Amino acid sequence: MIEHFTYTVKGSGPGLLLAHGGGGGAEPNFGPLMPDLARTHTVVAPDLPGSGATPRSAEPLDLDTVADTLVATALDAGVERFTILGYSLGTGVAVRAATRHPERVAGLVLTAGFARMNNRMRLAVRVWRDLLDGDRELLAHFLTLMATGDPALERLSPSELADSVAGLAGFVPAGTPEQVRLVEGVDTTAELAGIRVPTLVVAATLDRLASPELSRELAAGIPGAELVEVESGHLVAAEAPEEWGAAVRGFLDRHR
């Protein structure tokens, strides 16, 4: 594993480290929130191996190493203590980072996340992984079906839906296979009770990929965690950026 991920830094103030989802990237997963977050925080936005400008890993990814490298990335950016804003797979990375580096992690915001997969997610991720080796348009149809909430999906005209699927088919980071395998290996359930930093869990109530029950399980397992629910599918940045941003902003302002 490389010493640190490729990253961008925006803003100034207390540290805020981003951990994106599997098959995503810092800008696609957090872009709508970053301008506001950078008003008050030093936002370190890394890309996992095979996303953005970070080279693809030649080896399978493991959660410990990814969490350690994420923390090393913040240190390389000059940020020594930080809140981690994790999305989807990034919530597992964030929890593991807090477990392994408690002196560095000041807080957690866990969005559309999970400590372990349930059977629905296990089935969906298996299909996702298998489709990566085949028809990318079929993969995009599947991910659109699983990751988009019904209201957002039904607002699209047939031509807009076709354009959206085509755009998604063209956006598959090279490191997606390794990142999806990492999703399958996440299990931080035994670590939750040991988290001792302020934590906000944001559940997406229309999420069919990482169902809201998994976010509620995260919140129930972490002592003192706050739970906020937003009406959105898994693609929170696209479907509910204002509601998500307001929840994150409120938490950060309370715990600066």
Side-chain angles (χ1 to χ4, degrees):
M1 178 69 72
I2 54 180
E3 292 183 0
H4 59 77
F5 303 135
T6 302
Y7 61 91
T8 59
V9 178
K10 300 182 180 183
S12 61
L16 181 63
L17 178 60
L18 308 184
H20 70 72
E27 183 63 34
N29 290 166
F30 300 106
L33 272 63
M34 280 201 257
D36 178 66
L37 297 175
R39 290 191 303 104
T40 56
H41 286 71
T42 300
V43 180
V44 182
D47 287 303
L48 297 182
S51 289
T54 302
R56 184 177 181 179
S57 176
E59 303 173 349
L61 302 176
D62 72 88
L63 197 59
D64 286 353
T65 304
V66 170
D68 291 349
T69 309
L70 189 79
V71 170
T73 301
L75 297 178
D76 188 77
V79 178
E80 297 191 354
R81 189 162 167 80
F82 39 80
T83 296
I84 304 179
L85 169 55
Y87 165 73
S88 192
L89 167 63
T91 64
V93 177
V95 168
R96 184 59 55 85
T99 301
R100 291 173 65 82
H101 303 276
E103 76 285 1
R104 301 292 184 190
V105 179
L108 296 172
V109 180
L110 309 175
T111 302
F114 57 100
R116 57 164 188 92
M117 294 196 298
N118 59 9
N119 284 339
R120 173 180 291 278
M121 187 174 183
R122 188 170 290 110
L123 290 168
V125 172
R126 173 59 187 271
V127 174
W128 183 11
R129 172 163 58 85
D130 288 351
L131 287 176
L132 282 168
D133 296 327
D135 185 338
R136 290 297 171 87
E137 185 175 351
L138 180 60
L139 170 63
H141 276 88
F142 171 73
L143 291 177
T144 299
L145 176 66
M146 294 302 298
T148 310
D150 284 348
L153 194 60
E154 296 307 321
R155 281 195 295 268
L156 299 176
S157 68
S159 62
E160 289 171 333
L161 178 59
D163 289 344
S164 177
V165 169
L168 184 56
F171 175 75
V172 180
T176 300
E178 293 82 37
Q179 294 176 25
V180 172
R181 287 280 190 180
L182 183 58
V183 169
E184 292 180 306
V186 169
D187 188 345
T188 62
T189 51
E191 300 161 52
L192 301 183
I195 299 296
R196 293 290 183 266
V197 294
T199 300
L200 171 68
V201 177
V202 181
T205 59
L206 306 179
D207 195 342
R208 289 197 181 102
L209 184 59
S211 61
E213 288 76 18
L214 295 176
S215 285
R216 294 169 188 141
E217 182 179 280
L218 269 175
I222 298 174
E226 305 172 49
L227 175 65
V228 171
E229 300 192 355
V230 299
E231 185 177 279
S232 175
H234 195 67
L235 304 177
V236 187
E239 295 181 41
E242 294 84 5
E243 295 86 346
W244 186 23
V248 176
R249 164 58 57 198
F251 175 83
L252 293 176
D253 287 349
R254 291 193 300 276
H255 296 284
R256 287 189 67 178

